[in-house]
Each structure stands twice: as structure tokens, then as C-alpha cells.
Amino acid sequence: MSSRYGKTLGATAVGGALLLALTACAGGAPAAADIDLGSGPAAAGQVKKGALDGVTLTFASYGGIYQDGQEAAAVKPFAAASGAKLLSDGPTDYTKLKAQVDSGNVTWDVVDTDSIWAERECGKLLMPLDTTIVDTSKLPKDMVGKCSVPAMTYGMVLMYDKKKFGDHPPKGWADFFDTAAYPGKRAIPGVASDAAPGPLEAALLADGVAADQLFPLDVDRALKKLTSVRSSLVFWDTGARSQQLLESGEVSMAMVWSGRAYSAVKNGAAFAPQWNQFLPISDSLAVPKGARNPKAAMALINYYLGASEQAKLTELTSYSPVNSDAKPTLDPTATEYLTSTPERQAQALKVDNAWWAENQEQLIQKWSDWLAR
């Protein structure tokens, strides 16, 4: 996963987490079958008091302010309420997770992952959700997978220079590609090793493809459209670089993550968002196949999804909540960049994560070749 907020490495080494987890197991932690989570499924954000006394779980994520926010909003409160001992690890590393599953020595219990990766590895490296424990009733239905739930949400959005285009703002991705009516440089993500939703969908929309006819993506057509404006493109490879391009005014428009857009505007960038057909994105929470205590892991996910936990996570990180009942307290600018409101959801482009999961690995080579031209 790319660095949307300049995430840093997690503080706990894998070896330490493994040692502590093995120590907890040796100390007589209750078996999964002995855990009593109460009668009937708990609503999101709830767990039976003391239900996980003696259980040790490891939560793995991407570090930095994001994982700090996750821990403060949900992980530590869950530990206090359930009695579980929670360890943190990171950053999420798919090679490391695969090695754990393949060896049968899984030390991560709940992992924050890319949503497309989670879709692709469902049933392979990740186990199906236990919906008798995980309450998904308040989540966006198209973000809930068989093996994962959204951890938070944000979006890929069109940002434009208000000084240049304030009197005739762009109406959508077609205007992003119209360099005659909207002159100037455009910024788009350009990481050779990471083909992801954004540039291809925008190019096809600009080339006249209807939103409900985008998938399967005509990749060659999309790249041809991108080539037509290539001389005007500036490529960013990190979230920090995309934010810098807005703050410096080096570009007139940019396709950037909504969190970075908010940070740039908060820092004084004279840019505004055009939300029409923005691309919704989320991280996912999942349980590795072979996790030692899947019921406890599912209980942690369920707690994390609570309305108050999600609201606090948003207040701490600026990512949008996934629980429809969450009401974070934010300043007016931050509120404008929430992607989870009914108004924003009505403007969102539907992205086919299943198609991306099936085709992403092949697309990476084609995307890399195009960038190298």
C-alpha cells in the first residue's frame, strides 16, 4: 500500500511479536472453542466484558499516524473491554504474511491490507469472515468482501487550481484531459510497480465510455488516451509528492488521494475538489488463514467497526468512517473531504475490485512499460 499520510514502519518487530505470542500460548491461553463472546452476535463496537481474558492477539498495519489512530480509536479500547492482550506489528508485508500462512506459523491475527489484494487472496491467504461475529449491517455493501471489511475509506479525486479555473471549474474527468480549455500540467499517480484504480478509469470516461460500461477496462484504449496528453502529465510516486505538487502550484490539476488533497488545502494550497465520479478506495481488515484464534480476531474487527470507534479514527487520521452511523467532529474543511456522506457516495464511481483483483498483476507490467516509454 502506498504512503497516503507518510506512514512509517510499525514499532514492534516481527520476532518480538512472535516471541510474545508463543509465550502467551505457552501460558495457557484459552482455546478458540472455549471463548464465550456472549449470546448472539454483538453489534459493531461491542464485545462481552472480559470475554478474551488470557488471549493474546497481534494487530498488523502500516504504522505512522494511521496505525496510531487505529490503536487509540479501537485496538486499545477493545483490549480494555475484552481482557485480551493486544500487540501491534507492522508494516503490513504480503510476503511476510504468505510465509506465515505457508509455514503454518501465523502470528498476525488481524491485518490491515489493500482491498484489491484482500479480494485476490480471499480463501488463499485470508479466511472468510465469520458474519455471526462481524456485524456488517452499517457498512457500504460494495466494500464488504467475503474475507474482508473496509478499515476506512477515502478517494481518488480531481483537484483544480481555483486561481486559474475558479470561474469555470472542471466538471469531471473529461475536462481533466481537455488541455485546450484547461491549460497547464496535470498530476497523476505514476508508480511502475503499482497499477491501481484511477488513471485508466478517468481516461476511459474522458474518451466517452459510459460509467456503467467501464469494466472490463479497455486498457489499450485508456493508455492511448493518456498518451494524447502525456506532454502535460506530471507523475507522482508518493502521497507526499502529490501534496507538494498542489502546495507549490506546479500543476493546474491533479488526481490525488482525498487525504492528501485535504492536507494540501489545509496548508494553504489554492485548490478545490471536483467530486464528480471520484474513485472510492478503502483499506481492508482481514484475518490470515490459520490464525490461532479466529473468533477473537473477528471480535476485534467487529469492535473496530463501531460508530464511535470509526468517528474517533476519522478525527485522528482524517480518513472517512465506514460505519454509516459514525458522526466525527471535524472542522468545516475536513468535513468537506469526507467521502462517506450520502452526498459523496452518490457522486462516486463504481470500481470493480473483483476485476482489478483478477487482472492487476498483468496490468502492472503493461503500466510499467507505458511509464517507461
Side-chain angles (χ1 to χ4, degrees):
M1 183 173 101
S2 301
S3 176
R4 293 181 286 274
Y5 277 92
K7 295 174 185 172
T8 58
L9 301 185
T12 307
V14 172
L18 174 59
L19 177 62
L20 286 169
L22 291 175
T23 301
C25 290
D34 297 332
I35 290 175
D36 178 14
L37 294 173
S39 58
Q46 297 181 12
V47 66
K48 181 181 176 184
K49 186 72 174 175
L52 302 179
D53 285 341
V55 173
T56 298
L57 296 173
T58 298
F59 175 78
S61 188
Y62 290 95
I65 64 169
Y66 177 47
Q67 189 162 350
D68 289 345
Q70 290 176 302
E71 292 175 11
V75 176
K76 290 178 180 178
F78 172 80
S82 68
K85 180 178 181 180
L86 262 295
L87 307 174
S88 288
D89 204 355
T92 299
D93 182 313
Y94 301 142
T95 301
K96 195 173 292 181
L97 193 153
K98 185 177 187 304
Q100 291 182 22
V101 175
D102 289 349
S103 68
N105 187 21
V106 178
T107 59
W108 289 349
D109 297 285
V110 175
V111 183
D112 189 300
T113 77
D114 173 81
S115 60
I116 294 172
W117 184 90
E119 180 82 26
R120 184 165 61 247
E121 297 301 332
C122 183
K124 300 172 186 176
L125 298 181
L126 303 175
M127 66 172 58
L129 290 172
D130 185 342
T131 53
T132 68
I133 299 175
V134 182
D135 176 11
T136 63
S137 63
K138 299 295 183 179
L139 307 182
K141 290 190 175 10
D142 58 355
M143 288 187 177
V144 177
K146 183 179 178 183
C147 295
S148 61
V149 294
M152 50 72 176
T153 184
Y154 59 109
M156 190 72 84
V157 64
L158 190 165
M159 295 294 290
Y160 65 91
D161 189 327
K162 293 190 297 183
K163 294 179 180 177
K164 293 181 179 178
F165 308 132
D167 294 334
H168 61 115
K171 297 180 176 63
W173 295 114
D175 291 338
F176 188 85
F177 284 80
D178 187 347
T179 56
Y182 296 90
K185 295 290 187 179
R186 278 94 163 111
I188 67 169
V191 182
S193 61
D194 185 22
L200 300 180
E201 287 89 346
L204 290 172
L205 290 169
D207 206 39
V209 178
D212 60 356
Q213 299 294 316
L214 278 176
F215 293 91
L217 294 181
D218 186 336
V219 178
D220 290 335
R221 180 176 175 178
L223 292 177
K224 183 178 179 181
K225 184 66 175 178
L226 284 163
T227 299
S228 72
V229 295
R230 180 147 190 165
S231 62
S232 296
L233 295 179
V234 176
F235 300 103
W236 53 264
D237 56 0
T238 66
R241 175 60 177 153
S242 71
Q243 182 176 331
Q244 181 186 43
L245 288 169
L246 297 181
E247 293 181 13
S248 67
E250 293 175 57
V251 296
S252 297
M253 290 191 198
M255 174 188 290
V256 297
W257 293 313
S258 54
R260 285 295 183 177
Y262 161 68
S263 295
V265 170
K266 189 176 179 182
N267 287 345
F271 276 73
Q274 167 50 262
W275 290 101
N276 182 34
Q277 295 181 324
F278 83 93
L279 289 89
I281 308 172
S282 66
D283 270 20
S284 289
L285 294 180
V287 178
K289 200 171 183 179
R292 291 192 174 98
N293 209 320
K295 286 178 68 175
M298 298 291 173
L300 170 54
I301 290 176
N302 187 59
Y303 190 92
Y304 180 106
L305 298 173
S308 61
E309 289 72 25
Q310 283 289 302
K312 186 172 182 180
L313 179 65
T314 297
E315 291 164 3
L316 292 172
T317 68
S318 298
Y319 286 120
S320 297
V322 295
N323 187 312
S324 59
D325 289 341
K327 305 294 185 217
T329 301
L330 303 170
D331 63 59
T333 302
T335 300
E336 184 184 0
Y337 285 85
L338 286 177
T339 61
S340 54
T341 64
E343 177 190 4
R344 289 287 171 264
Q345 287 299 300
Q347 296 171 292
L349 182 72
K350 186 171 177 55
V351 176
D352 189 338
N353 274 0
W355 184 91
W356 269 101
E358 183 178 348
N359 294 279
Q360 187 179 40
E361 291 179 332
Q362 300 93 312
L363 273 180
I364 287 173
Q365 185 60 54
K366 186 167 277 196
W367 178 243
S368 176
D369 290 344
W370 183 81
L371 286 173
R373 289 179 193 169

